[in-house]
Amino acid sequence: MATITLRVLHGPDRGRVFSDVATPVTIGREEGNSIQLNDERISRYHLKLQDDHEKVVVTDLESTNGTRVNGEDIQVRVVRAGDIIQLGKSTLLVGSRTDIDERISAMAARHPPAADGHARQLQERLHKITSHPVDAAEDVGAIRSPLRATAGPPPLPDRLSPAQSAELIELIEYVHRSLRDASDGLLRVGPERVELDYTEWQALLDLQARLAELLRDSAQPKEA
């Protein structure tokens, strides 16, 4: 059974720490939740955190005002130490200081030429976001995890069947081919400027729309 630590950065419960809470965890304003927050803008049962193959997955429970992870609206998302969950007026930081330090160290190890400076920069960014409350009127979408920009792409899912692996490869190849075709149509008009043919631009927009539909369909609960 996995455990998770959540620290409230902003909102009515600012400063509260929920340490090593066993998953699954539900968060909402109702008493029956694992974590009850005094925030009138969150739903009675707002979101759920659960362990899945040694990863922690957050799922929005069809809340009224939605859930954001690192500033992006989500329905389901893997979260890691240093990520930021936003619901209602509340902002939660995932992980204890030790959890986040371990992730920073692991990330810095992937940047050997500047490992020390890289880790220090990440720690400074993390300290800044945890030490300076954001005004309630500010768009919470502007808040980003200090680890997000340098984390790189998410890892590929493991424990896939051969058929699932083949389907994933086909999807990645489709996206790669679409981006390659668009980049082949770029026209350089200066040393620091390129233009894209309108047809290729529309192809990119179509790819974005298709991926948006795929993300929505993938996040919908599957009927038994």
Side-chain angles (χ1 to χ4, degrees):
M1 178 184 299
T3 62
I4 188 169
T5 294
L6 298 167
R7 290 182 277 166
V8 184
L9 299 184
H10 314 295
D13 295 280
R14 186 176 65 191
R16 294 185 66 185
V17 178
F18 303 93
S19 299
D20 297 324
V21 184
T23 57
V25 177
T26 60
I27 301 178
R29 68 171 193 271
E30 196 81 2
E31 288 186 2
N33 287 280
S34 311
I35 295 176
Q36 182 185 14
L37 296 179
N38 299 309
D39 187 339
E40 74 277 6
R41 292 192 60 187
I42 69 175
S43 298
R44 293 169 58 246
Y45 292 89
H46 196 103
L47 63 82
K48 182 178 183 179
L49 294 152
Q50 58 191 349
D51 175 47
D52 185 10
H53 297 301
E54 300 180 356
K55 295 181 176 67
V56 176
V57 179
V58 58
T59 304
D60 182 81
L61 299 177
E62 298 183 357
S63 63
T64 301
N65 294 316
T67 300
R68 289 183 174 186
V69 172
N70 298 331
E72 295 182 0
D73 293 319
I74 63 98
Q75 289 177 295
V76 60
R77 182 69 55 88
V78 173
V79 291
R80 303 169 179 85
D83 284 345
I84 292 171
I85 301 174
Q86 296 152 293
L87 61 163
K89 297 179 180 179
S90 302
T91 302
L92 312 179
L93 177 63
V94 178
S96 65
R97 292 183 178 86
T98 300
D99 296 333
I100 294 174
D101 284 344
E102 289 176 354
R103 186 180 177 196
I104 289 173
S105 297
M107 292 170 61
R110 296 197 291 269
H111 301 266
D116 292 340
H118 184 73
R120 185 164 53 252
Q121 182 182 30
L122 289 172
Q123 290 170 330
E124 290 173 354
R125 293 171 67 191
L126 180 62
H127 175 74
K128 180 178 180 180
I129 198 169
T130 56
S131 302
H132 296 80
V134 177
D135 186 85
E138 182 177 345
D139 178 13
V140 292
I143 301 175
R144 295 293 187 270
S145 167
L147 305 183
R148 182 184 180 205
T150 53
L156 292 174
D158 52 12
R159 297 182 176 86
L160 294 179
S161 69
Q164 289 172 327
S165 296
E167 291 174 343
L168 178 61
I169 290 171
E170 287 183 10
L171 175 60
I172 295 174
E173 285 181 342
Y174 168 74
V175 175
H176 183 269
R177 184 170 60 252
S178 299
L179 294 175
R180 181 199 62 200
D181 292 345
S183 62
D184 287 346
L186 290 174
L187 174 65
R188 183 171 293 279
V189 295
E192 297 181 355
R193 182 179 176 186
V194 295
E195 290 183 353
L196 185 63
D197 179 81
Y198 185 76
T199 301
E200 300 298 340
W201 169 243
Q202 288 300 314
L204 281 180
L205 293 180
D206 179 68
L207 173 62
Q208 183 178 358
R210 289 172 182 265
L211 291 175
E213 294 173 10
L214 179 62
L215 288 169
R216 181 177 178 84
D217 291 343
S218 299
Q220 295 296 328
K222 301 296 188 296
E223 295 184 0

